[in-house]
Amino acid sequence: MEFSFNINTFLKDEITVIDRNHDLLKYSFTRYPKENSHKEELKEVINKLGTNSAQAQGLNGAVTSVELLLVAEQRCYILKDLNCTRPNGTVIGFLKVGAKKLFFINPDSNQVEVTPLCVLDFYVNEARQRQGHGYKLFSYMMENENTSPGSLAIDRPSEKMLGFYKKRFNLSAPINQPNNFVVFRDFFSSYVPTTSKQWPDHLKRGPIKLKAVPKLLPVEKESFFPSTLTMPLKPKTATPVSTNPAAFNPAAFNPAACTPSAFIPAARGPVPAAFIPAARGPAACNSPVTNPAACKEFHMPLFYN
């Protein structure tokens, strides 16, 4: 696979590992035109490899791109041709791996949760296949990741991929999982389960024995504020008011002996009829009170004809 630029400037080794922590992908080089151009060229190489891999496998979309590589813990192993005589170099293929948390069905038909290293994408240029390049990629990856072929989980392998496993690693009879991953029998002999369906230790020892709780004596309710319902209600007493009209004779009115409190009743009650005029008019305003000072003291209005 050839490009219009020199890939040897950023793919310096035969197999280069690219992840999101790579310098060209991690940093921005807007002020450095040379490094920025290398960054764009690396992106083009990764996206082109992902597109060719999707076309070779008959997928609707690419599963390898720079955007996906930046948001996940995945690593791309890119293989180039060291013996290429062309000035821009040649890319042969790539292998992408990453750890994923998955649920598998083991040979005992039990569901287990594991986090294995998964083969997520694998592609070798059609013109360079059956020349040992794929085995070289896998061997370098397994040495770098410290793993073995039987410990890997493969995401949706093609028939060519399963044939490659059988030819190179002598692994056959794949075990298909409900999530479209494929593992081999050696996987369950070396995996470390994340969780299991076994009972916790405190349930294995038997039922939990609860300590007897002592019976508590009833406590009487006490309140700092006694309820008003339990307190005796004192009847409200009011100063008796005479309703005899003779007692309110205006002729016997003495302004000097009256105080303002004398006109304030001790309790609410009906106003004596002697203070309510029968009708408004000249006849109702004939008051024998002739002292204006006394009327002002008690706030009594004066009526004039």
Side-chain angles (χ1 to χ4, degrees), residues 150-223:
S151 302
L152 299 172
I154 312 172
D155 185 13
R156 301 180 183 182
S158 61
E159 293 297 330
K160 287 185 177 181
M161 184 67 176
L162 295 178
F164 171 81
Y165 254 70
K166 183 178 181 180
K167 177 182 178 181
R168 293 294 184 177
F169 307 117
N170 196 23
L171 292 175
S172 58
I175 303 175
N176 298 318
Q177 299 296 326
N179 48 15
N180 295 324
F181 278 81
V182 170
V183 294
F184 296 90
R185 184 167 293 272
D186 295 346
F187 176 85
F188 294 101
S189 61
S190 60
Y191 82 100
V192 178
T194 305
T195 60
S196 63
K197 294 294 183 179
Q198 298 178 357
W199 291 100
D201 294 338
H202 69 277
L203 294 180
K204 289 181 180 179
R205 293 192 294 266
I208 300 175
K209 296 182 180 180
L210 299 177
K211 295 182 179 180
V213 179
K215 187 176 181 181
L216 301 177
L217 298 177
V219 180
E220 296 182 358
K221 294 183 179 180
E222 297 181 358
S223 176

Side-chain angles (χ1 to χ4, degrees), residues 16-21 64 68-69 72-78 94-99 116-118 120-121 141 144-145:
T16 305
V17 183
I18 305 295
D19 58 3
R20 63 182 182 181
N21 294 322
T64 299
L68 296 176
L69 200 63
E73 288 289 344
Q74 300 174 357
R75 292 166 294 281
C76 276
Y77 293 81
I78 302 178
F94 80 105
L95 173 64
K96 187 177 75 169
V97 296
L117 185 66
C118 305
L120 303 175
D121 205 356
M141 180 272 298
N144 189 51
E145 302 286 344

Side-chain angles (χ1 to χ4, degrees), residues 40 49 53-54 126 140 153 171 197 200 210 215:
E40 297 301 324
L49 288 171
S53 176
E126 290 78 5
Y140 185 89
L171 292 175
K197 294 294 183 179
L210 299 177
K215 187 176 181 181

